[in-house]
Amino acid sequence: MSAEAPQPRYAILHSPACTAIWELPEGEAPLWRYWGPRLPDGVTPGAALRSTRPEPSFSLHFDQPLSLFPGLGLGWFGQSALLAHRAGQDWAQAITGCRVEQPAPDTLRFLMADAVADIAITLSARLDPSSDVLTLSTTLTNTGDKILDIQWLAAGSVPLPEDALAVHSFAGRHNAEFVPVKDPLTRSLWRRENRRGLTSHDCFPGALVTCADGTAYGAQLAWSGNHAQQIEWVEDGRHHWQMGEWLAPGEVRLAPGESLITPEMLATCSAQGANGVAQAFHRAIRANIRWPGGTMKPRPVHLNTWEGFYFDHDEAALKDLATAAAAIGIERFVLDDGWFAGRHDDTSSLGDWWPDMGKYPKGLAPLAEHVVGLGMEFGLWVEPEMINPASDLYRAHPDWALHIAGRPLLSARNQLVLDLTRPEVADYLYGKIAPLLESLPIAYLKWDHNRDLTHAGQTPLYRRQVLAAYALMDRLTATFPHVEIEACAGGGGRIDAGIAAHSHRFWASDCIDAIERVRIQRGFLQFMPPEVMGSHVGACPAHSTGRMQAMDFRCGVALPGHFGVELDVRLLGEAERAELAAAIARYKALRTRLHHGLLWQGEATDGVVWQAHGSATSLLLLITRTRPTTQRHQPRLRLPMLHPDRRYRIHTEAADVWEVDGAWAIRSGLPLPPMRGEEVQVWQIEAI
Ligand code: DGJ
């Protein structure tokens, strides 16, 4: 490297905790030089990357490092950002020119083109100073004169440092979301794909990468459909993390002049590890939620009728339930599945969105007004994207169900999926749901989606179906801006940052077993803030597992999220009902602290996990024992977020008050009292 080598141009974004740097060589895609914890202002990599890399043996003379938009067939041998062709032509791509615009201090726009393959790419990168999240998205335009078939277009990609050790992703199934999967990062390709047409229970569109030095990287795709993410070793020892929509063959065929816009990839990193990553994601998701009235009101306590009543709606009993619910402090009554015409089990009626006159002879108004009269909000369950073959809608429009000519239909839960991309279908649904919102005091829709997509159109329409669902939600909330939406798909089948911008709560799982919920919620909270995590107190035994858990444990586990109750409170004994009422009162007293601050999660070994909400000077600490101890003495609990030079006062669950030095609590840990096999304790920790 000669001393007088010209300094390359760089594009640099900083946020309080992160820095991204790209080198801008002439006539090429920007090269990824750095993505990681914050570097000082004014820092640059100095010499051009290539000048620091002698040519290895048996290599091309043209050195092609990792770029922001890696190509195919022209010197880059790793995963490319694009797989596309024009009837077999123009399959090899490389960027031939790039211009950089800075439309805002935190945003860069890389305007790239391949003048040979006739494509234009705009890659937008925003490193938000208020969240520390780098949002990447790509728009590809076909500037040629023939159709361009796209098989893959990455939303974005980020490099991972040489000491990246493991990727933590999530598997699962209905009733068992957020099953952690840890894979070592090696020289083998790591890839997760989802082709179920919606976000899925078994493949959350995001992950966490941990490094040897304690730094963690996170990324998630803001998309509620098919997706793919991959991490591949790069020949300089780094790894390369790419994310995007998984596209079916023929799904995207761009006519001349047409563009494909990817979903957004949200990426962040933190020297504080997984908790720093979670906190950044929480800030970003919070900023994107469109709350009625502009700000989030305290999350109201729910009563959901599903597990208490299932399909057996009886108006008088539901009114009684509402009265009993209001008496223990419930604030929103959500009438779940079973209210609409002919819906007595899961074999029929999806699509027929008007009240069942047998169950509700005067419609839903008497019940809704009873609920509102008790001072609660009224919410209603819908599953707009679905249709049962046994329904008036199907009898009138069998062709509205997604199908492929010559292929037998495949039902799941006895239902098919509507083709929401047809304007007449979206209009029908709007035309049925809007009058309900107009005529009834409905403040909330629980929006369900209880099957995977198959037969997704004669030509694949997966992505358009997702966009159509977002559009229908937006159309309804534009007309009825006071209405909140809960995203549910058989529990947690549609939890992602894409739908978070169109909804206000996630139903995290159909499994309300509190022990299972500990795992589910910890995974959820890695990517989403607690106030959008629907967390209910269910019945005992738990319907999904048959396991028995004490009321205080069920309430403790549900406490940090958007709290709710999903059982027939009328059936509780006096003591249990009083316990539940006390838990509701405690939630109301604590929800502001639980839902606005930072969140840390950790493990204290021996079956004890913890989470802390607030700030380094004022914390609510939730300590959860998930199984009986196997130790003679309890483990200690170390709290890394405290200030080492402050002293803290601790109020324990047992109303003990004691003091501890921050440094001691960080390094040695807090002593824990004996806890039952399943128990949650809530402590308050204040800096003195
Ligand atoms: C699946 C949801 O996750 C449940 O909470 C409930 O709403 C049922 N669907 C109703 O069919």
Side-chain angles (χ1 to χ4, degrees), residues 9 24-30 95-100 109-113:
R9 287 188 309 132
L24 303 171
E26 276 306 312
E28 294 180 47
I95 297 302
T96 54
C98 175
R99 201 157 50 80
V100 185
R109 214 178 272 149
F110 299 92
L111 302 151
M112 299 177 266

Side-chain angles (χ1 to χ4, degrees), residues 306 336-337 343 381 413 446 448 450 488 490-491 507 510:
W306 180 240
D336 209 285
D337 197 354
R343 181 72 164 175
W381 179 94
R413 208 193 188 206
K446 176 175 174 185
D448 212 338
N450 282 305
C488 171
W507 181 222
D510 272 354

Side-chain angles (χ1 to χ4, degrees), residues 588-667:
K588 288 179 181 172
L590 299 180
R591 63 186 159 192
T592 304
R593 294 182 69 186
L594 288 164
H595 294 166
H596 288 277
L598 300 173
L599 175 73
W600 291 265
Q601 302 192 92
E603 277 189 52
T605 72
D606 188 37
V608 176
V609 296
W610 59 266
Q611 64 192 73
H613 298 240
S615 70
T617 53
S618 173
L619 284 172
L620 271 180
L621 176 65
L622 276 61
I623 307 162
T624 304
R625 175 165 274 297
T626 59
R627 57 175 166 77
T629 183
T630 57
Q631 301 181 181
R632 232 173 256 281
H633 303 285
Q634 298 283 307
R636 285 171 309 180
L637 191 154
R638 294 197 284 165
L639 294 175
M641 81 296 280
L642 299 185
H643 290 301
D645 47 359
R646 299 288 297 264
R647 200 165 162 74
Y648 288 85
R649 183 166 296 128
I650 298 180
H651 299 253
T652 69
E653 179 94 359
D656 290 341
V657 182
W658 39 278
E659 291 181 10
V660 68
D661 285 327
W664 184 257
I666 294 169
R667 294 285 167 219

Side-chain angles (χ1 to χ4, degrees), residues 404-420:
I404 294 179
R407 301 280 177 195
L409 291 169
L410 294 175
S411 58
R413 208 193 188 206
N414 309 300
Q415 62 198 57
L416 303 170
V417 185
L418 284 168
D419 181 349
L420 224 60

Side-chain angles (χ1 to χ4, degrees), residues 368-409:
E369 277 154 21
H370 178 75
V371 165
V372 172
L374 290 163
M376 294 187 289
E377 291 181 4
F378 184 67
L380 193 64
W381 179 94
V382 287
E383 194 179 0
E385 291 134 291
M386 297 296 153
I387 182 167
N388 283 117
S391 66
D392 283 0
L393 182 63
Y394 191 82
R395 286 182 282 274
H397 300 286
D399 60 311
W400 283 10
L402 285 173
H403 60 276
I404 294 179
R407 301 280 177 195
L409 291 169

